[in-house]
Amino acid sequence: MHRKELAEFLRRRRETLRPRDVGLVEGPRRRTQGLRREEVAQLAGMSTDYYVRLEQQRAPQPSVQITTALARALRLTPDERDHLFALIGHNAPARFHRSEHVSPALMRVLERLNDDTPALVLSDMADTLAMNPIALALLGDQMRHTGLARSAYYRWFTDPAERLVYPEEDHHRHSRAQAARLRAALTGGSGDPRAARIVAELQERSPEFAGLWELQEVAQRYGDSKTILHPDLGRIDVDAQVLFTENRAQTLVVMTARPDTESQGKLELLSVIGHQQHGLVGSAVRDQ
């Protein structure tokens, strides 16, 4: 529990609210900037004395129920709510329930990308939910997997074929990124027990993963430069950019090559191959 930071956060959030923001009457002689402490306590269903002690760094750790009530009383956004839970020392509640249905907004973007721009939609568990034709031609069908292997986190540490897509000298960097992203999914996602099962099994099966897990790294990094090894065309250098849904449950990953490079020419060739193999963009995206 971070008492000083918690006290400052509660005070600042209280001062930004007006009584009308929370359904209270604002009298003509009001001198307090924002809400009064007793008003926050009333909205959260707790004693004024306990709330005052929170702002004075003297209170014991609030329960999950009180933390939830505080977040509701202060009208916190999901990011602010998660921050409040972290300051108090609790795991934040799940923001969403995972779905196989691709976000309509991400699907619209996917369908409108240029034919030579590989793109795919991933869940926070690194399940591939949709791919356009050139992504299929570049990476193969990543939607065919079942069970725990649907997650690229799991496949990276258990299936040697998964690593053939990247140069060997890049494997360690990818391994660290996969472990860090899995930790983010474990602590900040939907509360789906599959994440915990994947962690437990990887700790048993992969000494590499077990060592990286001990580093306690956590991140939601997707966008960077990477080299992909295509079985027919060889090395293709791409820059990956991402678009998250608001709750970060799904991510659209878009890969582009720098203009007038050999890699761009290879992507243009792959776009032809992708259409020959999979037809139009709309038919290449797996039915939702």
Side-chain angles (χ1 to χ4, degrees):
M1 181 174 171
H2 305 278
R3 296 181 185 277
K4 182 176 183 295
E5 293 86 349
L6 173 63
E8 293 176 353
F9 181 70
L10 291 174
R11 183 170 59 254
R12 291 293 185 184
R13 289 301 306 144
R14 174 171 62 83
E15 290 174 350
T16 63
L17 291 173
R18 306 297 300 177
R20 60 179 176 271
D21 297 330
V22 296
L24 298 178
V25 177
E26 185 171 350
R29 297 184 179 181
R30 188 179 188 90
R31 298 177 180 176
T32 303
Q33 180 181 359
L35 296 181
R36 299 187 179 99
R37 289 169 174 169
E38 58 266 27
E39 290 171 333
V40 175
Q42 176 188 348
L43 291 167
M46 65 179 66
S47 72
T48 299
D49 177 68
Y50 183 73
Y51 181 79
V52 169
R53 285 188 289 147
L54 281 173
E55 287 201 6
Q56 293 176 344
Q57 307 175 42
R58 298 188 297 111
Q61 183 187 44
S63 66
V64 171
Q65 290 77 15
I66 290 178
T67 306
T68 301
L70 277 171
R72 183 173 58 249
L74 293 170
R75 304 300 194 263
L76 301 185
T77 67
D79 287 338
E80 291 168 337
R81 181 203 64 178
D82 291 355
H83 182 64
L84 175 67
F85 270 78
L87 291 177
I88 289 175
H90 296 309
N91 291 328
R95 288 197 187 195
F96 58 86
H97 297 286
R98 292 190 176 98
S99 172
E100 298 299 308
H101 181 71
V102 177
S103 159
L106 293 189
M107 182 60 73
R108 287 194 296 271
V109 177
L110 178 65
E111 292 174 337
R112 286 163 175 75
L113 288 171
N114 294 333
D115 292 347
D116 60 353
T117 304
L120 61 161
V121 178
L122 302 174
S123 73
D124 69 314
M125 284 300 301
D127 303 331
T128 301
L129 305 179
M131 305 176 76
N132 64 2
I134 186 173
L136 286 163
L138 177 64
L139 302 170
D141 185 2
Q142 296 189 349
M143 300 179 288
R144 71 185 188 278
H145 302 284
T146 59
L148 294 183
R150 292 196 63 220
S151 170
Y153 304 142
Y154 183 84
R155 297 197 306 274
W156 180 260
F157 293 101
T158 59
D159 183 359
E162 190 74 9
R163 303 195 176 202
L164 297 178
V165 179
Y166 302 102
E168 186 174 356
E169 61 268 23
D170 293 344
H171 287 183
H172 181 67
R173 177 170 61 91
H174 285 296
S175 294
R176 289 185 64 174
Q178 297 285 45
R181 286 168 52 196
L182 177 55
R183 188 180 292 278
L186 178 68
T187 59
S190 70
D192 188 334
R194 187 163 66 105
R197 290 201 301 269
I198 288 176
V199 171
E201 183 151 342
L202 288 180
Q203 286 179 316
E204 290 288 330
R205 296 188 55 178
S206 171
E208 178 193 20
F209 174 82
L212 291 172
W213 196 249
E214 292 298 321
L215 297 178
Q216 298 290 325
E217 294 178 331
V218 54
Q220 283 188 313
R221 289 188 65 252
Y222 292 83
D224 56 11
S225 299
K226 60 184 65 180
T227 298
I228 295 173
L229 300 179
H230 189 270
D232 298 321
L233 301 180
R235 182 186 183 104
I236 302 177
D237 298 316
V238 297
D239 294 322
Q241 300 298 323
V242 300
L243 177 65
F244 290 101
T245 54
E246 183 177 1
N247 60 11
R248 292 188 171 245
Q250 295 179 5
T251 308
L252 174 66
V253 182
V254 180
M255 289 169 277
T256 60
R258 295 181 181 180
D260 302 320
T261 61
E262 184 179 1
S263 293
Q264 183 189 37
K266 291 179 179 180
L267 288 185
E268 292 171 352
L269 178 58
L270 277 177
S271 70
V272 177
I273 297 174
H275 279 283
Q276 289 175 344
Q277 293 179 343
H278 304 286
L280 297 176
V281 173
S283 62
V285 177
R286 177 158 293 180
D287 290 339
Q288 301 306 311

